[in-house]
Amino acid sequence: MLGKSSRPHLLVLLLLSFSALFASFSNAYPLSTQNRWIIDDATGQRAKLVCANWAGHLQLMIPEGLDKQPLKDIVGQVVKNNFNCVRLTYAIYMWTRYGDKENLALSLFKLDLPKVMDGIAKYNPEVLAMTPIQVFEHVIKELGAQKVMVLLDNHVSEPKWCCDDDDENGFFGDRHFDAGEWIDGLTSAAQHFKGNPAVVAMSLRNELHGPRQNEGDWYTHISKAATEIHKENPNVLVVVSGLNYDTELQFLKKKPLKVNLGNKLVFETHLYAWSGIGTLKLREIWNKQPLNRICAHSIEGIDERAGFLTMGKKAYPLIFTEFGFDQTQGTSDNVHNRFVSCLQTYLVGRDLDWGMWALQGGYYLREDQVSLEETFGILDANFSQLRYPQFADKFQLLQRKNQDPSSKLPYQSIMYHPQSGQCVQVNAKDELELGNCETKNRWVHDGKGGQVLLSGTNKCLHAAGEGKPALVTGDCKSKKSFWKPMSLTKLHLANMGHHGEHLCLQKDSNTTSIVTAKCICITDDSACLDNPQSQWFQLVPTNV
């Protein structure tokens, strides 16, 4: 027992500890919704969630990589690479069956994972004595300490890799998806992290799927679960997924989800290169159809099945919580590269919140394989550096907040090149080149076929001729200074001032310079399978 003389010192220590904790979390919690935006309650400004998915739902039921690097360093990689959020996945059975039964060391022994045990003992020995729930607490504490927001995602019920149509883990009534136990697990997680300012959102379920899917059960169980989470923890955003691996929410057009969550309801959607959107199966056609066609049709499909939620007077935030690509492929022309560049134009154009699959460079144990590498991993197999060296350039504009409903600034445009991820700058010679997207160059264009004006000047975009550098000039009445977005994607910025022939902006293949060249596949011709991405330039709206 402390004596009287110790009490003042104890009070000082408690006050200091409270002040430090408040300082750590005073910048972004809690969050709420305002029409299609997520808002920081403390500032009234938009809080754009830029998340890395961190898997913790597999057999060990702990976040991956603790056998490769110290926890502090893994979270440091999240921050270093400009993510402000982690979508942290977990299994329902962690809360309802296994999560407080045995410590990690015993689980590792039972699963016969001596190398994983040795790695954790080297880098994070303190977690060996913890249960899975305690490891989650430990990880979330470090995320919060480094000011990383957490979206807790219920990924599965039975801890395992997700997902297959026949995994009995996909929809209400499946062998591993009892609706009552699911809600018990959700409310336990909500209660457990109530008051923890790092946990800003909770999703109900990842990628509902399988033959039992139906809209009636979706409305019944989703409404009940969302209400229970909100009752248990009214501060968190409640994130709702749709059907068919979270690609379909279009049924909400005819029957909205009626739940009273105040300003805490958010929806989510997913897409990969192999996904199907309704009857549109994407896996086989990214290289077999004209890219402008498949990209335009894919974007139309996203809007039809989920994007519509962000439109109109009764809009909601939509988080693109999962997309990804094979990061070992670099910039080579393949299905993943074509898919992700197309999707970037959608995410940037609407300035959506998003989450990339995945942070982890590998797994302790996945589908009976030990230390399996994750080629979609942002980090390498050692969790020490980026797997894809151009990651920072490729995703810089997606990570930037480009629109804010609280801003008083007028909307202008950033000229964006999705293939490289870079943005257009004007150099000292008045020529266009690609560079960092923090450039202050802004553009004004009516989108119909007029001049593209360099904001704050009397200059406009000008096409000097085929193969010549694109530039800005004061000669804004010339036909060479009139531009129109063309092709099905509207991503080709084309000029018709040269003997009736279209010239498009194009990134030079060997430098950062931008030239004008004959347009590639701007008509919808099934025989034109050339890759037009070097000519994709998007005028991205911004008011920040």
Side-chain angles (χ1 to χ4, degrees):
M1 181 179 290
L2 290 170
K4 291 182 180 179
S5 61
S6 300
R7 290 174 185 170
H9 300 290
L10 178 61
L11 181 60
V12 170
L13 287 172
L14 288 171
L15 288 172
L16 287 172
S17 298
F18 178 79
S19 298
L21 181 64
F22 182 80
S24 297
F25 296 116
S26 61
N27 63 323
Y29 315 95
L31 304 178
S32 297
T33 66
Q34 182 185 110
N35 197 262
R36 60 153 293 192
W37 307 107
I38 295 173
I39 302 296
D40 177 351
D41 285 358
T43 66
Q45 297 178 345
R46 182 187 173 200
K48 180 177 179 177
L49 299 185
V50 178
C51 307
N53 282 270
W54 192 358
H57 64 275
L58 278 76
Q59 279 176 274
L60 281 174
M61 297 178 291
I62 64 169
E64 304 290 338
L66 300 181
D67 60 334
K68 301 296 185 182
Q69 297 292 332
L71 172 60
K72 185 176 181 179
D73 292 349
I74 297 175
V75 177
Q77 287 283 358
V78 174
V79 176
K80 177 183 176 182
N81 291 300
N82 296 316
F83 291 92
N84 63 10
C85 162
V86 158
R87 181 176 180 250
L88 191 61
T89 71
Y90 69 90
I92 282 293
Y93 288 2
M94 181 178 77
W95 294 99
T96 60
R97 301 188 185 188
Y98 310 130
D100 59 354
K101 295 292 190 292
E102 61 186 35
N103 64 34
L104 179 58
L106 183 55
S107 296
L108 289 164
F109 177 77
K110 287 182 175 180
L111 289 170
D112 191 22
L113 298 173
K115 289 186 178 179
V116 176
M117 174 114 52
D118 289 346
I120 293 177
K122 178 179 178 180
Y123 292 111
N124 296 284
E126 69 280 1
V127 305
L128 289 172
M130 295 180 183
T131 64
I133 290 174
Q134 289 171 335
V135 176
F136 263 75
E137 291 173 347
H138 185 62
V139 169
I140 289 172
K141 181 179 179 181
E142 184 59 38
L143 288 164
Q146 296 195 41
K147 296 183 172 61
V148 178
M149 295 177 280
V150 177
L151 191 171
L152 271 181
D153 168 65
N154 170 224
H155 218 66
V156 289
S157 293
E158 180 189 31
K160 63 184 297 185
W161 180 247
C162 175
C163 305
D164 293 305
D165 275 347
D166 59 355
D167 61 13
E168 287 293 325
N169 213 343
F171 200 72
F172 311 105
D174 282 355
R175 184 161 58 97
H176 294 295
F177 202 160
D178 176 79
E181 184 175 8
W182 170 65
I183 289 180
D184 287 345
L186 291 174
T187 53
S188 293
Q191 182 181 40
H192 197 86
F193 291 107
K194 183 176 183 178
N196 187 322
V199 179
V200 299
M202 288 185 61
S203 75
L204 299 186
R205 185 68 168 208
N206 171 73
E207 295 193 355
L208 294 166
H209 59 275
R212 293 181 185 272
Q213 290 182 95
N214 68 87
E215 293 174 17
D217 284 347
W218 185 92
Y219 281 102
T220 298
H221 298 302
I222 291 293
S223 298
K224 184 175 181 181
T227 301
E228 291 299 319
I229 284 182
H230 185 65
K231 184 191 303 182
E232 198 64 53
N233 186 350
N235 281 327
V236 295
L237 300 174
V238 178
V239 184
V240 174
S241 65
L243 299 174
N244 194 19
Y245 294 90
D246 203 10
T247 61
E248 298 189 359
L249 285 157
Q250 70 272 20
F251 47 85
L252 291 169
K253 294 177 184 177
K254 61 184 179 182
K255 182 181 177 182
L257 181 64
K258 294 181 180 180
V259 289
N260 183 14
L261 307 183
N263 53 356
K264 299 293 184 181
L265 178 60
V266 176
F267 291 92
E268 64 177 319
T269 191
H270 296 174
L271 197 68
Y272 290 93
W274 60 80
S275 299
I277 303 179
T279 59
L280 179 64
K281 302 303 179 184
L282 304 182
R283 183 194 296 270
E284 291 85 15
I285 58 180
W286 281 101
N287 283 334
K288 295 182 180 179
Q289 287 193 18
L291 184 54
N292 285 314
R293 179 193 296 172
I294 185 57
C295 181
H297 289 177
S298 296
I299 287 174
E300 289 172 4
I302 296 169
D303 269 341
E304 170 67 22
R305 290 162 177 79
F308 70 91
L309 288 162
T310 66
M311 305 170 190
K313 294 181 179 179
K314 294 184 178 180
Y316 294 93
L318 176 70
I319 309 176
F320 223 103
T321 48
E322 272 191 43
F323 74 97
F325 67 108
D326 186 342
Q327 301 205 21
T328 66
Q329 298 296 314
T331 58
S332 59
D333 180 16
N334 57 32
V335 167
H336 290 288
N337 178 279
R338 293 180 174 213
F339 161 75
V340 79
S341 291
C342 173
L343 184 58
Q344 280 175 256
T345 69
Y346 183 85
L347 297 175
V348 165
R350 290 154 178 77
D351 203 21
L352 292 183
D353 304 70
W354 55 273
M356 182 175 287
W357 188 272
L359 176 67
Q360 66 271 3
Y363 301 91
Y364 309 117
L365 180 66
R366 173 181 152 183
E367 298 173 296
D368 297 325
Q369 295 188 63
V370 178
S371 299
L372 181 68
E373 193 165 347
E374 173 60 271
T375 60
F376 278 46
I378 295 165
L379 299 180
D380 65 3
N382 200 40
F383 285 67
S384 61
Q385 61 185 6
L386 290 172
R387 183 181 298 275
Y388 174 41
Q390 287 77 41
F391 185 94
D393 273 350
K394 182 70 170 171
F395 296 101
Q396 58 180 307
L397 194 60
L398 273 74
Q399 293 182 314
R400 183 183 185 274
K401 179 173 67 174
N402 297 311
Q403 300 182 45
D404 191 328
S406 69
S407 173
K408 304 300 181 184
L409 297 175
Y411 272 94
Q412 296 179 322
S413 294
I414 298 169
M415 195 181 298
Y416 172 58
H417 184 249
Q419 184 183 40
S420 66
Q422 296 180 309
C423 295
V424 174
Q425 302 174 348
V426 179
N427 65 22
K429 297 179 181 180
D430 279 343
E431 296 174 349
L432 271 58
E433 61 186 14
L434 291 174
N436 191 285
C437 288
E438 290 303 316
T439 174
K440 299 302 180 184
N441 290 150
R442 297 290 184 268
W443 306 85
V444 180
H445 185 238
D446 64 8
K448 298 177 181 178
Q451 300 152 333
V452 181
L453 303 172
L454 180 59
S455 181
T457 74
N458 61 355
K459 297 178 180 180
C460 59
L461 180 62
H462 186 82
E466 184 179 351
K468 294 182 179 180
L471 66 157
V472 293
T473 176
D475 182 14
C476 294
K477 294 184 179 180
S478 166
K479 289 184 178 180
K480 296 180 180 181
S481 297
F482 283 74
W483 301 81
K484 184 177 182 179
M486 297 192 71
S487 79
L488 289 176
T489 59
K490 304 299 182 186
L491 292 172
H492 294 258
L493 205 53
N495 172 268
M496 269 196 67
H498 297 265
H499 311 293
E501 184 176 50
H502 287 108
L503 294 181
C504 286
L505 293 184
Q506 178 173 302
K507 180 192 177 298
D508 181 77
S509 59
N510 298 314
T511 70
T512 59
S513 298
I514 299 169
V515 299
T516 50
K518 290 181 181 179
C519 299
I520 301 171
C521 300
I522 59 170
T523 60
D524 187 24
D525 179 359
S526 295
C528 191
L529 299 178
D530 293 336
N531 187 348
Q533 287 186 78
S534 63
Q535 292 187 348
W536 279 3
F537 285 85
Q538 182 179 15
L539 290 165
V540 175
T542 182
N543 67 343
V544 296

